Amino acid sequence: MLDIENFEEYAQKITQFVLDYYKNIESFPVKSIVEPGDIFHKIPNEPPIEAESFDQILDDFNKIILPGITHWQHPRFFAYFPANTSFPSILAEYLVSALGVQAMIWQTSPASTELEEKMMIWLRKLLGISEDFNGVIQDTASTSTLVALLTAREKFSNFSINNQGFRGEKFVVYCSTEAHSSIEKAVKIVGIGANNLRKIPVDDTDFSMRCELLEKQIRNDIKLGFKPLCVVGALGTTGSMAIDPLIEIGEIAKKYDLWYHIDGAMAGSALILDEFSKLREGVNLADTFVFNPHKWLFTNFDCSAFYIKDKDTLLKTFEIYPEYLKTDLDRRVNNYRDWGIQLGRRFRSLKLWFVIRSFGIKGLKKIIRSHLDMAKELSELIEKEEIFEILAPVNFTTICFRYRPRKEDSEGNLEILNKKLLAKINESGFAYLTHTKLNGKFAIRFSIGQTNTKFAHVFETWEFIKSIAKQLN
């Protein structure tokens, strides 16, 4: 059995595995090629009665588990959005696991609480957003959006729903048709109901929310006896990284007394660059704002930075004081269990501390800017090809494009063709991309942002895509 006597031996073996993994990561197929059930059926149906050797466990990890891994840290991972990490973050996570901290209140880990408080100040300064924001680390942007909606619900019901449940409140929430699915999920969980989520149409060209239709919908809802509760603006939609008119939305929210939440899960990290300073103006109009350092700030999953201006309303929504959690210090410190849904909390701030100090502001900016440059160069390469077309503006690091060898092809035929192209790319194991639909058009998404991606990886993948397309043609 693994214990303190032989821990060092196996810790060294795992460290060596990590080193070898990153040195040889490009030899793995980016997307796992196993079939459904392959992993499941290789694992015994019954747990072992006797202790098994750690050598056997590691051997099974290599034979059974590793083939079923899709390699998110592969430099040719261009699917979805990145969930990138870095070596400082990996080492911090190792320490977090070893310490086994449960940071639910200040007293259970003063260092975790106070480091988190400071890291949220650091991030706020890095992004250049308003000092009115108070920050806390949540697990994901989905949770952060849920927390924002719950807080808005309680504020506009005078905290009666927490105490008495719904009593006929007819709340409605607004987002664009391109907004993330987590908003609809949150609306369901909060009790407002998916039918009371108003999805506002977007511009046909840049896929941003149409503010004139937002205001029209708000006015119509008020006439029908609904209570507009919250509007969610997107600083980079999931499909195409479209940017909603954040300032205009903020002005409408203020005019009609709505809670204003901004989802910047991926693109929020770009605010550390002065090139995006104009976006800060829109963010500063929000009541709540979220972005994920685990997407594009080299801090491994999970680490979602959630900011709120009205901290008192947040606390009044979530705080609860069972006798066994009360301490004499409660009014002098932050107890982050009262800043969200979970009571138990991980020591996530250590990862941020290690990453920010290891890269420095200059280092973080350099990598993010390099990803933006790669996206710009790739979009220029695509535009030079007559048989490919870009379907959305390239605002950050995601390029939405499709293969169109014949101008006369119908949308149906183009979708079939591009689905085949995407499937062959992913089946090859050379690279991994995903898709979306824009104006009903099937688009392949090329999402750049993995920590160790270089332009050579982007260029090689683009050449590979063209070669597969020629075979299809």
Side-chain angles (χ1 to χ4, degrees):
M1 188 176 74
L2 183 62
D3 56 26
I4 198 166
E5 301 301 326
N6 52 11
F7 177 79
E8 182 178 1
E9 174 190 350
Y10 290 105
Q12 289 175 350
K13 284 188 176 183
I14 288 178
T15 299
Q16 188 61 52
F17 166 83
V18 173
L19 289 170
D20 292 340
Y21 175 72
Y22 276 93
K23 286 177 182 178
N24 302 303
I25 194 168
E26 292 185 48
S27 67
F28 292 96
V30 186
K31 179 179 177 292
S32 173
I33 57 175
V34 301
E35 293 294 324
D38 282 356
I39 309 300
F40 181 85
H41 293 300
K42 289 178 182 176
I43 300 169
N45 288 331
E46 302 296 331
I49 295 173
E50 302 292 341
E52 295 183 301
S53 73
F54 206 72
D55 283 314
Q56 182 61 54
I57 295 170
L58 288 179
D59 188 53
D60 285 344
F61 168 81
N62 282 294
K63 290 178 179 177
I64 300 173
I65 303 302
L66 203 55
I69 295 295
T70 289
H71 299 279
W72 286 72
Q73 307 313 314
H74 196 296
R76 288 194 299 274
F77 182 97
F78 300 117
Y80 306 105
F81 286 133
N84 56 20
T85 187
S86 61
F87 293 116
S89 183
I90 292 169
L91 293 176
E93 194 71 86
Y94 186 8
L95 289 174
V96 169
S97 296
L99 292 171
V101 166
Q102 211 286 40
M104 56 186 176
I105 58 176
W106 181 90
Q107 190 163 278
T108 62
S109 188
S112 176
T113 298
E114 296 191 15
L115 184 60
E116 181 165 344
E117 185 175 359
K118 185 66 75 172
M119 287 306 96
M120 297 310 290
I121 293 171
W122 278 19
L123 284 180
R124 189 182 67 202
K125 290 181 176 180
L126 268 172
L127 270 58
I129 58 176
S130 172
E131 291 184 3
D132 292 338
F133 281 117
N134 298 280
V136 62
I137 301 176
Q138 308 285 5
D139 51 6
T140 63
S142 299
T143 298
S144 296
T145 296
L146 176 58
V147 167
L149 283 179
L150 285 166
T151 306
R153 185 194 75 183
E154 289 311 300
K155 176 183 177 180
F156 287 100
S157 70
N158 196 26
F159 303 94
S160 66
I161 296 175
N162 264 357
N163 294 320
Q164 301 168 6
F166 278 90
R167 292 196 168 187
E169 291 87 355
K170 297 173 67 176
F171 288 133
V172 284
V173 175
Y174 307 86
C175 67
S176 86
T177 53
E178 289 291 311
H180 193 268
S181 59
S182 61
I183 299 165
E184 183 168 348
K185 181 180 284 189
V187 167
K188 292 178 180 180
I189 296 170
V190 168
I192 292 170
N195 290 342
N196 294 317
L197 175 63
R198 310 293 193 236
K199 295 183 179 181
I200 307 301
V202 297
D203 182 87
D204 289 339
T205 304
D206 67 11
F207 305 102
S208 65
M209 185 191 291
R210 292 179 57 185
C211 285
E212 78 278 10
L213 296 182
L214 168 65
E215 188 162 16
K216 182 180 178 181
Q217 183 67 60
I218 291 171
R219 287 176 175 172
N220 187 56
D221 284 331
I222 292 171
K223 285 180 182 178
L224 294 173
F226 290 97
K227 168 58 183 171
L229 176 68
C230 174
V231 57
V232 182
L235 199 175
T237 59
T238 304
S240 68
M241 296 290 276
I243 306 170
D244 286 338
L246 301 178
I247 293 175
E248 290 179 60
I249 295 173
E251 290 169 348
I252 292 170
K254 184 177 180 180
K255 180 178 178 180
Y256 293 96
D257 192 25
L258 274 73
W259 189 276
Y260 185 23
H261 177 62
I262 293 179
D263 179 0
M266 169 67 182
S269 296
L271 294 182
I272 72 172
L273 303 178
D274 289 336
E275 297 95 293
F276 296 100
S277 59
K278 186 69 177 176
L279 294 175
R280 297 169 186 160
E281 297 178 32
V283 170
N284 287 339
L285 295 176
D287 295 287
T288 44
F289 166 64
V290 61
F291 83 103
N292 291 341
H294 68 234
K295 276 193 169 70
W296 201 18
L297 213 59
F298 325 117
T299 304
N300 58 290
F301 189 85
D302 53 10
C303 184
S304 183
F306 175 68
Y307 284 95
I308 185 167
K309 288 178 179 173
D310 189 352
K311 182 179 77 170
D312 291 340
T313 296
L314 174 74
L315 293 178
K316 196 171 179 181
T317 299
F318 289 100
E319 67 184 1
I320 190 166
Y321 282 99
E323 189 62 35
Y324 54 82
L325 290 179
K326 291 179 181 177
T327 77
D328 294 336
L329 300 168
D330 287 344
R331 297 304 172 189
R332 295 172 51 195
V333 298
N334 283 329
N335 286 321
Y336 284 123
R337 61 127 201 262
D338 295 326
W339 290 57
I341 294 164
Q342 298 91 350
L343 172 62
R345 307 187 80 255
R346 300 180 66 244
F347 190 1
R348 299 183 183 97
S349 57
L350 193 69
K351 295 183 287 189
L352 278 173
W353 195 45
F354 274 39
V355 167
I356 295 171
R357 293 182 67 188
S358 295
F359 284 93
I361 296 173
K362 288 183 178 179
L364 295 172
K365 288 183 175 182
K366 182 179 179 180
I367 300 178
I368 288 178
R369 194 171 278 122
S370 75
H371 291 158
L372 291 162
D373 290 342
M374 291 177 208
K376 183 175 183 294
E377 291 187 54
L378 175 59
S379 64
E380 290 171 354
L381 289 174
I382 296 174
E383 286 172 342
K384 289 177 182 178
E385 299 286 341
E386 291 186 2
I387 57 175
F388 287 89
E389 60 181 350
I390 294 176
L391 298 178
V394 181
N395 293 320
F396 298 101
T397 58
T398 298
I399 302 97
C400 294
F401 70 98
R402 68 176 175 178
Y403 178 43
R404 191 178 183 185
R406 293 170 296 276
K407 298 296 182 184
E408 65 273 15
D409 272 353
S410 68
E411 289 298 329
N413 286 340
L414 286 172
E415 179 167 336
I416 292 169
L417 184 62
N418 280 273
K419 280 183 176 179
K420 286 181 179 178
L421 174 58
L422 182 60
K424 286 189 174 293
I425 293 166
N426 293 338
E427 288 165 4
S428 73
F430 185 78
Y432 186 23
L433 287 76
T434 47
H435 79 280
T436 190
K437 279 195 174 181
L438 300 169
N439 284 336
K441 299 174 181 177
F442 185 93
I444 298 174
R445 295 173 70 261
F446 198 123
S447 180
I448 300 167
Q450 204 290 319
T451 309
N452 299 308
T453 295
K454 308 297 181 188
F455 184 71
H457 299 111
V458 175
F459 182 76
E460 291 164 0
T461 302
W462 174 236
E463 290 297 308
F464 181 74
I465 291 170
K466 288 194 296 179
S467 70
I468 296 294
K470 285 181 181 178
Q471 294 173 26
L472 289 176
N473 198 34

